[in-house]
């Protein structure tokens, strides 16, 4: 199957940091279909050769294991082309179309790795020159809008030109192997599903913690914040995968229908519940792995009086028969104590104790990163004699070790899926809009609340109020137990 993959924003950070390395991995693993061409388009006037040299340099900044040798790069680079395009110029789109038509590949994937402000204009221009025919797919990179209205505007523009089945909205968390394993865990095994409900589960915690600060992205980040950057998309997508009903099949729409139902069942926020159930924070100077790091307000291109949140913790519920009353805690932040993405399912305690000592409820930890695995915490007897207290023990499954050779990175997986036309791991417009609808009252309440985010020291787990949020229900975050 021949394909042409076009990156709009071909010299941008996303392209060289994530997309090209992911494609190279697919190439190295022999997974990239034969007969592919990769076309980077951007404003600069340069040749294929110069672009390839530039990319080769950029690859030196990529994680060692993912860096090509010179020989590998030569082979990979043979697939790569460059084309100068001014995205505001209609005739440049015609030029692109002519270039693509000259080969007439089986599939054309147009990846918009540009600022989302350009999406509407690009889609209109693509439509105007007929680059929306059946063989074309468009991939849209987040952030998809800034709020519900802007997301709807982008979706309208996309819909005017492309069918929903041609639109691939990326949430790279859905490409992480551990997230796909969540589907396998729940719907490929009979073990957990009977317990996956309010009768057995006390609470669920989703943590997406980063050690990194905003780095050089201060200007972008300050207009975005943690709620838009991580909760509206990644954290909510994980929540839908955890809470959804079993889909009738493994088809994209069967899955996305169920995820949408979860988003629609989320308890809506009001100004009062935002004040009670949502904590926003902003990091101050502190220390990460023994090194001093500056506070958010001292980061490059961040206004000194910024009230942008770099941390969010919130409590919500899924209002349906399966989950009524079960708290779902979501938490994300920059400059936290660990780089740790995980979902913790805390089961209810045993109904009647017959063993001495404190008993700790069972817990399933779904680890997304840095490790990729599952840990089931149980209680057992060591066998040292009568009257012994139970001891916590873990069943630990490390997918990285178990499947070392077959693991495929998130962007690699998603790019290959986009080329193959598999929509399962992409977000449908109604899901995305519903997620914005749910998040908006929080944004509104914050806009009206002048108290701003709570400070927390870099290297901590965020403001103390985040612990209090969970403690109010009689629970605690996983690292506090
Ligand atoms: C991106 C956010 O979507 O996800 C970044 O814009 C964040 O701010 C990143 O750092 C985290 O992704 P990962 O895969 O490193 O956890």
């Amino acid at each position: 199957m021949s394909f042409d993959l076009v990156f709009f924003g071909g010299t941008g950070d996303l392209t060289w940091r994530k997309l090209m390395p992911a494609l190279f991995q697919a190439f190295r693993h022999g997974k990239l279909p034969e007969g592919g061409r990769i076309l980077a388009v951007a404003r600069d006037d340069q040749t294929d050769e110069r672009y390839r040299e530039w990319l080769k340099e950029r690859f030196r900044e990529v994680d060692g294991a993912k860096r090509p040798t010179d020989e590998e790069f030569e082979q990979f680079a043979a697939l790569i082309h460059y084309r100068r395009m001014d995205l505001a110029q209609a005739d440049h789109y015609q030029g692109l179309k002519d270039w693509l038509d000259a080969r007439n590949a089986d599939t054309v994937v147009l990846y918009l790795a540009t600022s989302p402000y350009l999406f509407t204009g690009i889609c209109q221009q693509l439509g105007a020159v007929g680059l929306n025919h059946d063989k074309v797919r468009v991939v849209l990179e987040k952030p998809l809008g800034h709020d519900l209205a802007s997301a709807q505007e982008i979706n309208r523009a996309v819909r005017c030109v492309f069918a929903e089945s041609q639109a691939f909205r990326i949430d790279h968390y859905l490409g992480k192997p551990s997230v796909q394993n969540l589907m396998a865990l729940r719907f490929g095994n009979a073990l957990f599903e009977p317990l996956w409900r309010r009768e057995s589960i006390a609470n669920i915690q989703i943590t997406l913690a980063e050690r990194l600060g905003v780095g050089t992205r201060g200007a972008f980040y300050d207009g975005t914040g943690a709620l838009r950057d991580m909760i509206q998309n990644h954290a909510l997508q994980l929540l839908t995968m955890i809470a959804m009903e079993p889909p009738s099949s493994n088809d994209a729409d069967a899955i996305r229908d169920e995820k949408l139902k979860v988003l629609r069942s989320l308890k809506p926020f009001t100004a009062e519940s935002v004040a009670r159930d949502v904590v926003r924070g902003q990091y101050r100077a502190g220390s990460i792995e023994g090194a001093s790091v500056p506070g958010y307000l001292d980061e490059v291109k961040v206004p000194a009086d910024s009230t942008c949140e770099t941390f969010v913790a919130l409590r919500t519920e899924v209002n349906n028969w399966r989950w009524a009353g079960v708290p779902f805690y979501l938490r994300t932040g920059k400059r936290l104590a660990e780089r740790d993405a995980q979902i913790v399912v805390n089961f209810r305690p045993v109904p009647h104790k017959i063993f001495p000592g404190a008993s700790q409820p069972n817990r399933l930890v779904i680890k997304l990163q840095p490790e990729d695995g599952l840990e089931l915490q149980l209680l057992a007897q060591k066998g040292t004699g009568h009257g012994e207290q139970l001891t916590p023990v873990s069943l630990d499954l490390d997918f990285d070790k178990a499947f070392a050779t077959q693991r495929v990175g998130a962007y690699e997986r998603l790019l290959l899926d986009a080329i193959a036309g598999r929509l399962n791991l992409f977000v449908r417009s109604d899901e995305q809009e519903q997620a914005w609808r749910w998040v908006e009252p929080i944004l509104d309440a914050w806009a009206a609340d002048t108290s701003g985010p709570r400070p927390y020291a870099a290297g901590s787990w965020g403001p103390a109020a985040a612990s209090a949020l969970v403690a109010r229900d009689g629970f605690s975050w996983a690292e506090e137990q």
Side-chain angles (χ1 to χ4, degrees), residues 18 142 172-173 176 210 212 217 220-221 229-230 233-234 334 339 341 369:
K18 301 275 188 195
K142 84 175 254 291
H172 78 277
Y173 266 68
K176 291 189 189 278
E210 295 183 272
L212 291 177
R217 297 165 77 219
F220 157 78
Y221 193 85
D229 192 40
M230 297 291 285
N233 32 66
H234 306 322
K334 302 240 179 243
R339 175 172 186 250
Q369 61 194 28

Side-chain angles (χ1 to χ4, degrees), residues 180-357:
Q180 292 148 48
N181 256 316
L182 192 51
M183 289 284 286
L185 174 81
R186 289 197 56 201
F187 308 126
N189 295 283
L191 194 62
F192 289 108
E193 204 43 33
L195 302 175
W196 214 256
R197 55 191 65 251
R198 61 192 301 280
E199 289 79 5
S200 311
I201 291 179
N203 69 84
I204 293 183
Q205 306 182 357
I206 300 177
T207 295
L208 305 180
E210 295 183 272
R211 272 198 177 133
L212 291 177
V214 294
T216 53
R217 297 165 77 219
F220 157 78
Y221 193 85
D222 203 66
T224 305
L227 188 72
R228 291 185 173 99
D229 192 40
M230 297 291 285
I231 299 279
Q232 187 273 342
N233 32 66
H234 306 322
L236 280 186
Q237 283 294 321
L238 294 179
L239 188 155
T240 61
M241 307 274 282
I242 281 283
M244 71 196 263
E245 294 300 316
S248 57
S249 73
N250 198 18
D251 291 341
D253 278 331
I255 295 168
R256 299 188 302 177
D257 287 348
E258 295 305 336
K259 285 164 62 197
L260 178 62
K261 283 189 207 158
V262 174
L263 291 165
R264 287 189 174 144
S265 309
L266 284 176
K267 189 172 175 177
F269 277 109
T270 60
E272 295 80 62
S273 64
V274 170
R276 189 186 59 231
D277 293 341
V278 187
V279 175
R280 58 174 162 158
Q282 189 185 72
Y283 62 84
R284 297 287 180 261
S287 136
I288 298 276
E289 290 182 290
S292 301
V293 294
Y296 178 70
L297 298 178
D298 295 319
E299 299 279 17
V300 184
K301 297 203 177 143
V302 169
D305 59 351
S306 169
T307 56
C308 174
E309 80 288 356
T310 60
F311 175 95
V312 179
L314 62 83
R315 178 196 191 281
T316 187
E317 289 178 23
V318 178
N319 286 336
N320 62 19
W321 273 48
R322 184 187 285 263
W323 295 114
V326 177
F328 283 72
Y329 305 106
L330 273 49
R331 173 175 65 157
T332 187
K334 302 240 179 243
R335 287 287 189 228
L336 294 184
E338 306 274 347
R339 175 172 186 250
D340 184 17
Q342 62 174 23
I343 302 169
V344 178
V345 180
N346 286 308
F347 288 90
R348 291 190 185 279
V350 290
H352 170 64
K353 271 177 55 172
I354 59 166
F355 294 103

